[in-house]
Amino acid sequence: MARRQGTGKGGKGSHGSGHSENQGGSRPKHKERGKGGPQRKPKPRPGPQQQRTDGPRSRTAVSRRHGLLQPPSGQAAALLDSYGKILDKAVPLPAKHRRDTPLAVRELSRLLTRDRAELSSDYMRSPRMISAYLRYFLPWNLYRLSLLLPGLAPLLTLDTGGTVADLGSGPLTSVQALWLAMDQWRGFGLDIHCMDRSQRIMTQGRAVLNELMRAAPGPLPPAGAIDRDGEKRSSPWRVFLDHGPLHKGLAGVGKPLDLVLAVNVLNEALRMETGRRGAGEAVSGFAAKLLARIKLPGEQRPGEQGLGGQLLLVEPGTRSGGEMVVRMREAALEQGFSPLSPCTHAEPCPLAGRDMWCHFRTGTEHAPVWLRSLSKAAGLGKESASLSFVLLGRSAAPRESGRARVLSNAIRVGGARAWYGCSRHGLLLVSAHKGGELRQGEQVDYELDPAGARDEKSGALIALAGGEAGKNA
């Protein structure tokens, strides 16, 4: 969703698995129509035969009703509903601490969103803060990732035998999200390197992951298989906990990476780099260390010509989160990477330098009841969940769909409805075909105004969305 500049702040702590509180941003100057598509009850997730794939595995189209963020379904929804009990089994909480949880959650939220100057770099060593994080911010992050990951599945090239790095892993948030939302990967023999400066939060995250695996078991590992730290494995995944700075963890993997997960880690990583150099150099420095570790096309697997490693960046849907994602996207493109989603092109981001940023938002009505109740008790009621992200691939050639990605809800322009869109031509203001509806996150065919007309307020090119769903896909 493209939003004008707001005052919301987001971020994360040293562990790299921050949350998405205060995801504000004032409305666009055009009048937004009602509460928009994301506030309505989402339609059921399309089946696998319908999923759009605008990346390396397929070119099959789906109905234009498919948005990027879809509510969890099936086992993923059931696991989220029972996740509170999974936490209680993995990291039991005494009754007196349970009563304190809403207050601790509210205090940690304040520190993470408004008073970061007061936040100690080792706050994740505090048992009280760890408990608050595990029972509130961790499950909300799992919910956000479970909205995103299934829709990206057709674009992800990870396969058995792959090597994964999870940067700023915290309580193994991203790894838990993969197990929860990507059940087709549970049988893969994966080496997953979790990297964080806090050993304690990773150790507790491993306990929760093991309990999650018991609640939703996958194929069994080879008999007697153990992890590097001597713990008996409960799945084909080998999970390594690499304690220390990210650059040391990356250097210690020892082989090219098939997939790098960087979820809510850019704020901290770039802040550390900025301490030694300017903001632009900080992005270049971090990107150089990270991108060099990602597998080249055909590297180690000659039969996979054209498929290189991939990088998934996810940040809170705040202005700062969106800007960091754009900066990393630019640095990755300079290194030969191609954007796979949400971008439909490899041109410079049309929102860079504007008072708008790219993020996607949906309602929380499908979040677990227990989690929404805790949010209310902590005075942090959440009506929406949002994120900024980009999936980048080290592929042989850029892939462009020639379509536009719908970024906003409907807005009123001169009495008619229109939507902001992102395309290789730049920012668009798109009207629907025959008065139809567009949905934030979907891809659409479009035709530019023959006269090259632009919107007076935003400067966006005027365009008309294509006719029938899936046309020219």
Side-chain angles (χ1 to χ4, degrees):
M1 181 186 227
R3 282 284 181 90
R4 301 284 185 180
Q5 181 175 1
T7 58
K9 297 179 182 179
K12 55 166 289 303
S14 61
H15 50 89
S17 40
H19 59 99
S20 53
E21 295 295 321
N22 277 12
Q23 294 180 27
S26 59
R27 299 281 187 182
K29 293 180 181 178
H30 295 299
K31 183 178 179 181
E32 191 162 330
R33 180 175 175 263
K35 293 187 177 181
Q39 301 300 324
R40 294 192 295 265
K41 184 176 180 180
K43 296 185 178 181
R45 183 194 306 278
Q49 75 277 9
Q50 294 178 294
Q51 291 181 333
R52 175 185 305 289
T53 56
D54 50 345
R57 286 198 169 180
S58 170
R59 304 294 293 176
T60 305
V62 299
S63 163
R64 294 187 300 121
R65 306 320 309 157
H66 175 66
L68 274 174
L69 305 184
Q70 296 293 304
S73 62
Q75 190 181 57
L79 286 171
L80 285 170
D81 286 341
S82 63
Y83 193 74
K85 296 179 181 178
I86 291 173
L87 283 169
D88 288 340
K89 289 182 180 179
V91 283
L93 190 64
K96 64 177 182 179
H97 292 161
R98 188 178 299 277
R99 290 192 295 270
D100 178 59
T101 295
L103 181 61
V105 165
R106 185 162 63 249
E107 181 180 333
L108 182 55
S109 175
R110 177 183 61 81
L111 291 172
L112 287 171
T113 58
R114 294 191 293 276
D115 300 320
R116 295 188 63 82
E118 301 177 16
L119 194 64
S120 169
S121 61
D122 61 352
Y123 74 96
M124 268 298 141
R125 296 176 186 174
S126 162
R128 184 170 181 260
M129 293 295 98
I130 287 179
S131 177
Y133 193 90
L134 291 177
R135 281 168 167 77
Y136 182 79
F137 300 105
L138 168 59
W140 272 120
N141 280 330
L142 288 178
Y143 178 73
R144 290 167 60 227
L145 290 172
S146 70
L147 298 171
L148 175 67
L149 286 171
L152 296 182
L155 309 179
L156 294 167
T157 56
L158 185 67
D159 206 341
T160 191
T163 303
V164 180
D166 179 22
L167 309 186
S169 188
L172 280 57
T173 306
S174 301
V175 182
Q176 292 190 52
L178 293 182
W179 190 268
L180 187 150
M182 303 288 284
D183 57 312
Q184 67 271 35
W185 286 6
R186 293 177 189 168
F188 289 179
L190 301 177
D191 281 358
I192 303 178
H193 296 262
C194 300
M195 306 173 190
D196 200 283
R197 291 192 294 154
S198 172
Q199 180 72 34
R200 182 169 186 172
I201 192 67
M202 284 198 295
T203 301
Q204 294 212 356
R206 181 199 281 279
V208 180
L209 175 64
N210 288 341
E211 195 63 43
L212 179 64
M213 288 177 167
R214 281 189 281 271
L220 295 176
I226 59 173
D227 281 328
R228 183 175 60 184
D229 59 5
E231 183 167 332
K232 185 177 179 181
R233 286 163 55 197
S234 57
S235 83
W237 294 7
R238 293 199 304 171
V239 179
F240 306 131
L241 306 185
D242 297 330
H243 172 224
L246 296 181
H247 69 273
K248 285 186 63 178
L250 287 167
V253 174
K255 54 184 175 180
L257 297 166
D258 295 278
L259 177 63
V260 175
L261 303 168
V263 178
N264 301 335
V265 72
L266 292 182
N267 181 67
E268 179 69 14
L270 297 184
R271 184 177 63 82
M272 294 178 66
E273 291 282 344
T274 305
R276 297 186 289 272
R277 62 191 83 186
E281 291 181 83
V283 173
S284 298
F286 178 67
K289 296 172 186 176
L290 172 58
L291 301 175
R293 303 298 307 163
I294 297 177
K295 189 180 75 172
L296 291 164
E299 190 173 5
Q300 290 194 335
R301 297 180 187 177
E304 291 185 351
Q305 297 297 330
L307 296 182
Q310 296 178 320
L311 168 63
L312 177 60
L313 299 166
V314 183
E315 288 292 314
T318 59
R319 179 180 178 85
S320 61
E323 289 180 342
M324 285 187 289
V325 169
V326 169
R327 289 175 186 170
M328 283 296 295
R329 177 188 184 273
E330 291 173 349
L333 264 59
E334 291 176 358
Q335 298 293 321
F337 283 71
S338 298
L340 303 175
S341 184
C343 315
T344 62
H345 59 88
E347 300 298 322
C349 176
L351 296 182
R354 292 177 175 269
D355 60 351
M356 306 164 68
W357 68 96
C358 179
H359 67 290
F360 301 91
R361 182 183 299 270
T362 190
T364 58
E365 63 269 24
H366 295 283
V369 173
W370 67 268
L371 183 56
R372 285 183 281 152
S373 296
L374 175 57
S375 300
K376 185 176 181 180
L380 301 171
K382 293 176 71 70
E383 296 182 356
S384 65
S386 71
L387 52 82
S388 296
F389 81 98
V390 66
L391 175 64
L392 297 150
R394 198 168 211 169
S395 52
R399 295 179 179 272
E400 299 192 6
S401 71
R403 309 181 110 200
R405 178 77 70 183
V406 179
L407 299 179
S408 73
N409 295 331
I411 57 177
R412 286 285 182 182
V413 183
R417 291 175 301 164
W419 293 256
Y420 284 117
C422 175
S423 76
R424 62 186 176 89
H425 291 103
L427 184 66
L428 305 179
L429 190 61
V430 187
S431 299
H433 182 73
K434 294 182 180 179
E437 291 282 343
L438 304 183
R439 183 174 178 179
Q440 177 210 350
E442 68 179 325
Q443 290 190 68
V444 294
D445 300 309
Y446 66 94
E447 294 181 359
L448 295 176
D449 180 84
R454 291 182 178 270
D455 174 50
E456 292 182 0
K457 292 185 178 180
S458 66
L461 287 163
I462 302 298
L464 177 67
E468 297 303 318
K471 179 182 178 182
N472 300 326

